[in-house]
Amino acid sequence: MTKRVPISFEFFPPKTDAGAEKLKLVHQDLQYLNPEFFSVTYGAGGSTRERTLAAIEEFNGKGTPVAPHLSCIGDDKARIAELLDLYKSQNIKRIVALRGDLPSGQVGLGELPYAQDLVRFIREHSGDHFHIEVAAYPEMHPQAESFDADIRRFIEKVNAGANAGITQFFFNPDSYFYFLDRLAKEGIHIPIAPGIMPIINASNLIRFADGTGAEIPRWIRKQLSAYGDDSVAIKDFGHEVVLKLCERLIAGGAPSLHFYSMNQTEPTRQLVLDLGLA
Ligand code: FAD
């Protein structure tokens, strides 16, 4: 039997009224699974500021804590301070602090060019009010100078005041365990939740992986392309692959699982149920 570990779910802010209505239902469905928190992404440079705020306002105070993502690249300290004050006034206690990626065409890194600068700024501005999560990359961030340099950058975020990490999605559990071992050797033992990407649709998955530097192992790519448009076969295969991945991560000591829900109830709900984590 799988050990029970806490779970959390990520949403992105919907672009349309219909999307916002649908997300309310997804939130309800996933809330039954008793997650530790829901997080809501934030477009770099403030590009989704209003929509992220609207989603946070919608779900805050409805039982499960919410955790806004906050990115710093291309933004300025005053605007970030405003958000921190707002979240504090809404009794929000957790923030996912990120650098973000500048939308194409936007130039200028802003006053806080890296996530470590943002973490430091949050601590300076809000003290210990927020529990700060930061991004972790078991397969290395695509712009890092090297794997070792990326590990050092991650440690800088911890030293700046991050409490925990959430990883980019991956399908090779060894990369996660190796990443944890490397951090442990440097004396870093903060909890790092694997980010779990359910397999819903082959072309979207490949697009996300290409954009984030996450690797889709050859055997998964080949199976997905062999299934073509057969969405049932993709769903069944994806469920089995991700379920086994989660089981191995939990058996190997992952402290919790963070699901990239893609604003959909399924297949995340079924994975959580089959893992016995609800
Ligand atoms: P950083 O930790 O700052 O690292 C970025 C790169 O810079 C790395 O290659 C690092 O090695 C390097 N680096 C760090 N410090 C220095 C330095 N001083 N000098 C030189 N190089 C340095 N994006 C969004 O826009 N909105 C979101 O809501 C969002 N949510 C995410 C949630 C999770 C769990 C994850 C894993 C990613 C998320 N992202 C989001 C994507 C993220 O913003 C991108 O991956 C971005 O490219 C890096 O953000 P970071 O916080 O990891 O940056």
Side-chain angles (χ1 to χ4, degrees):
M1 208 184 112
T2 320
K3 196 179 122 206
R4 271 184 100 123
V5 296
I7 48 174
S8 54
F9 301 119
E10 184 168 311
F11 293 148
F12 55 84
K15 282 194 176 132
T16 60
D17 291 348
E21 285 308 309
K22 181 187 159 204
L23 191 58
K24 287 183 197 169
L25 299 177
V26 174
H27 175 265
Q28 256 175 32
D29 290 341
L30 296 181
Q31 179 144 281
Y32 284 125
L33 305 175
N34 201 19
E36 196 178 18
F37 64 92
F38 287 101
S39 79
V40 180
T41 63
Y42 181 85
S47 54
T48 68
R49 191 179 168 107
E50 299 314 318
R51 288 190 280 122
T52 298
L53 285 176
I56 290 292
E57 198 158 315
E58 173 63 36
F59 301 128
N60 189 30
K62 295 220 163 114
T64 305
V66 290
H69 292 209
L70 182 53
S71 66
C72 54
I73 199 163
D75 229 321
D76 60 50
K77 287 182 181 175
R79 273 163 57 88
I80 290 172
E82 246 175 49
L83 282 180
L84 293 172
D85 292 342
L86 175 69
Y87 292 145
K88 196 171 171 184
S89 76
Q90 294 173 329
N91 202 25
I92 286 168
K93 299 269 174 55
R94 188 187 293 256
I95 281 193
V96 185
L98 305 140
R99 183 196 72 174
D101 293 307
L102 277 182
S104 59
Q106 189 171 332
V107 287
L109 302 182
E111 292 177 282
L112 303 165
Y114 292 105
Q116 56 175 286
D117 304 313
L118 175 61
V119 174
R120 199 169 297 111
F121 179 71
I122 297 173
R123 287 290 175 235
E124 278 163 20
H125 187 81
S126 308
D128 285 337
H129 177 80
F130 294 107
H131 175 97
I132 304 179
E133 308 267 352
V134 288
Y137 301 87
E139 295 179 339
M140 193 179 118
H141 184 266
Q143 292 155 5
E145 299 112 305
S146 65
F147 188 87
D148 285 356
D150 211 25
I151 293 269
R152 284 198 301 279
R153 299 306 184 189
F154 184 82
I155 294 173
E156 286 169 14
K157 295 195 274 195
V158 178
N159 292 339
N163 302 99
I166 302 176
T167 75
Q168 184 56 272
F169 73 87
F170 58 87
F171 293 104
N172 176 359
D174 289 340
S175 66
Y176 171 76
F177 294 125
Y178 179 73
F179 186 76
L180 293 194
D181 283 351
R182 285 292 306 272
L183 290 177
K185 283 196 184 118
E186 304 289 336
I188 301 293
H189 299 283
I190 63 166
I192 299 185
I196 305 297
M197 179 66 87
I199 299 177
I200 301 176
N201 166 310
S203 54
N204 280 351
L205 182 70
I206 291 167
R207 189 164 49 83
F208 290 140
D210 290 347
T212 56
E215 192 194 30
I216 304 181
R218 179 181 154 82
W219 63 276
I220 297 182
R221 269 187 195 256
K222 288 284 176 196
Q223 288 277 66
L224 290 175
S225 72
Y227 291 134
D229 293 335
D230 186 345
S231 59
V232 174
I234 291 176
K235 199 178 114 220
D236 291 349
F237 170 70
H239 183 75
E240 194 191 340
V241 168
V242 179
L243 188 69
K244 291 248 156 54
L245 171 67
C246 294
E247 285 171 352
R248 288 183 62 189
L249 291 169
I250 294 171
S256 58
L257 298 180
H258 181 77
F259 288 87
Y260 295 108
S261 78
M262 309 310 293
N263 288 10
Q264 301 193 31
T265 298
E266 303 294 357
T268 297
R269 181 180 147 280
Q270 197 57 50
L271 284 167
V272 170
L273 291 176
D274 290 354
L275 288 163
L277 300 178

